Amino acid sequence: MSDDLVNDVKNAISNVNDPHMGVSIVEMGLVQNIEVNNGIAKITIKPTNPGCMSVTRMANDAKREAESVDGIDKVEITVEGHMMADSINEMINK
């Protein structure tokens, strides 16, 4: 795992704000984990509310931002702690 790529991904997804708070999802602590192996970034996001209506948007935005990082070929997002996590994860990672 490249620490530089992890930091690059973290910096990229720091551009994604929680639409209700206007604060970066990284700064808010919603990003639980970032791993990068062989050009694949795996990002875990946990919303503060298990019924958060904006988590899909935040996850899609994080995926888009992470995909823009040089050296990242694929991004997998995992949403945890949401009542519809399975459906959201399936939709985002098609």
Side-chain angles (χ1 to χ4, degrees):
M1 174 168 57
S2 166
D3 289 338
D4 289 339
L5 273 177
V6 169
N7 286 330
D8 290 348
V9 169
K10 184 177 182 178
N11 288 335
I13 65 176
S14 291
N15 294 320
V16 177
N17 289 336
D18 177 302
H20 302 288
M21 301 296 290
V23 178
S24 163
I25 63 172
V26 172
E27 188 177 329
M28 285 185 66
L30 303 182
V31 177
Q32 300 292 300
N33 192 43
I34 301 170
E35 294 178 16
V36 178
N37 289 304
N38 299 321
I40 300 172
K42 295 183 179 183
I43 302 166
T44 305
I45 297 173
K46 184 175 182 181
T48 57
N49 177 342
C52 176
M53 300 293 286
S54 301
V55 71
T56 303
R57 175 181 167 188
M58 291 185 290
N60 272 324
D61 289 350
K63 184 174 183 177
R64 184 189 69 246
E65 291 291 333
E67 287 172 339
S68 73
V69 173
D70 287 337
I72 299 298
D73 302 315
K74 181 179 180 183
V75 177
E76 297 174 3
I77 302 285
T78 302
V79 173
E80 294 181 344
H82 191 276
M83 67 172 113
M84 295 184 65
D86 291 341
S87 297
I88 292 168
N89 292 331
E90 183 179 330
M91 179 179 60
I92 290 174
N93 294 304
K94 278 187 181 180

